[in-house]
Amino acid sequence: MEAVLTEAVALLDVAGEPALTFRALAARLGGGVGSIYWYVESKDELLDRAADHVLADVLEDTEKFVDDPDPIAALRGIGRTLYDAAVDRPWLGRYFMRNTEFQPNSLRLYERVGGQVLRLHLKPRESFHAASAVVGFVVGLAADMGQEPPEEVVSGALDRGQFMKRVVDQWRGLDPAEYPFLHTIIDEFEGHDDADQFRAGFDLLLDGLRRQAAR
Amino acid sequence: MEAVLTEAVALLDVAGEPALTFRALAARLGGGVGSIYWYVESKDELLDRAADHVLADVLEDTEKFVDDPDPIAALRGIGRTLYDAAVDRPWLGRYFMRNTEFQPNSLRLYERVGGQVLRLHLKPRESFHAASAVVGFVVGLAADMGQEPPEEVVSGALDRGQFMKRVVDQWRGLDPAEYPFLHTIIDEFEGHDDADQFRAGFDLLLDGLRRQAAR
DNA sequence: CTCCAGTATCGAACGACGTTCGGTAATCGA
DNA sequence: TCGATTACCGAACGTCGTTCGATACTGGAG
């Protein structure tokens, strides 16, 4: 069972979500297709469990943040760590906390985030909303930013830089009077780093949260 | 072509993403499977175009916000409208702004958000990050919250309330010493409304943004 | 009128997928 | 020794996205 999840995650990590098929997984395990169904009932459950398997590492890597004197700083650390794990695994976001029966680590991570929120002494409802917003922001943006690039890039026909250039050129061709914002930020977009973008947005959210706690 | 997209969206709306197959779509259009490939090159492109087709309505519904005296309030209105459209269509988030060549409305909506951000007079990089965070938050959370409920609920074997009760019961069974946060918010969770949760988190983000603009 | 290049449509066939199922060992307490 | 439980196997089924060669309809050039 442990081997099934390990190999499933390995398959997902090296070749993305479409590479995880029961046939490929069985071949990797040196077994038959049907055997996998002894351990999981469906592919959805396999991905549920794979997600939780990955979260074990995240849980370990975020332990160091929980004792930070500043709970907001702790949330920042936890969130960034989770983002790093999720951005390379767009499937993780979709299976995170989907079935807590199979996913103890999902629950523990949510609790870990919530533990920091508790230190802000908000009302229960505000705490619930805050923790959900933090987790949702991280997971949602990671899923968004981690999505597979178009097929031209995957197949290697187009460099990532060339692809970016083509998009930017298309945008530059638009009427500046109709798209003033796009033309304002296009230079930033051209050389942007996804991780920076995530962090900047995340800091906005955390700042809003800090302000709510101060009230 | 217009009919293809309209029927595709209709299919998606009434029966969810798995219901959109080329065979089902062809049947609805009263044509053959192969005909659809005259208009789109692949299913991905079909979904790209379907997403943009839906966004036309969102664009119309958000027009009224752009002249709000408070740009933050305008962003709130735009974001909530986009959320409402996206939460019922979990696929929308995954195909939003994926290929702007087919998706002029995606671009227009991003521009509309950005237009409000411009009114905050931030630096270009901050503006870029702010608009992306707003759109990412909305789309990411909508995709997260809109995902199909487990099969027991879809098949009607379990009521949504019963399902929620089962999850809550499982959580209540956990050790309160190990999961203090979960026990703090569980009453809130039990009767929670997804839309409220989104709005609370979104307001945190917008508040952080307002604060950044004030500096 | 003839012809032909373009436009639009069709559905059988292909390969890959998730899943099912009947069967086969291996293990082990009674 | 034996029945039951545990673990495993792969052919077969139905569905999916996609391909492809065939078919018709159109409108302008010769």
Side-chain angles (χ1 to χ4, degrees), chain A residues 15 28 32 72 78 141 154 159 185 215:
Chain A
R28 244 185 119 94
I72 296 286
I78 297 170
L141 256 78
V154 177
D159 190 303
I185 56 95
R215 282 199 291 269

Side-chain angles (χ1 to χ4, degrees), chain B residues 126-141:
Chain B
E126 290 172 341
S127 298
F128 169 53
H129 286 159
S132 304
V134 166
V135 170
F137 185 87
V138 173
V139 164
L141 257 77

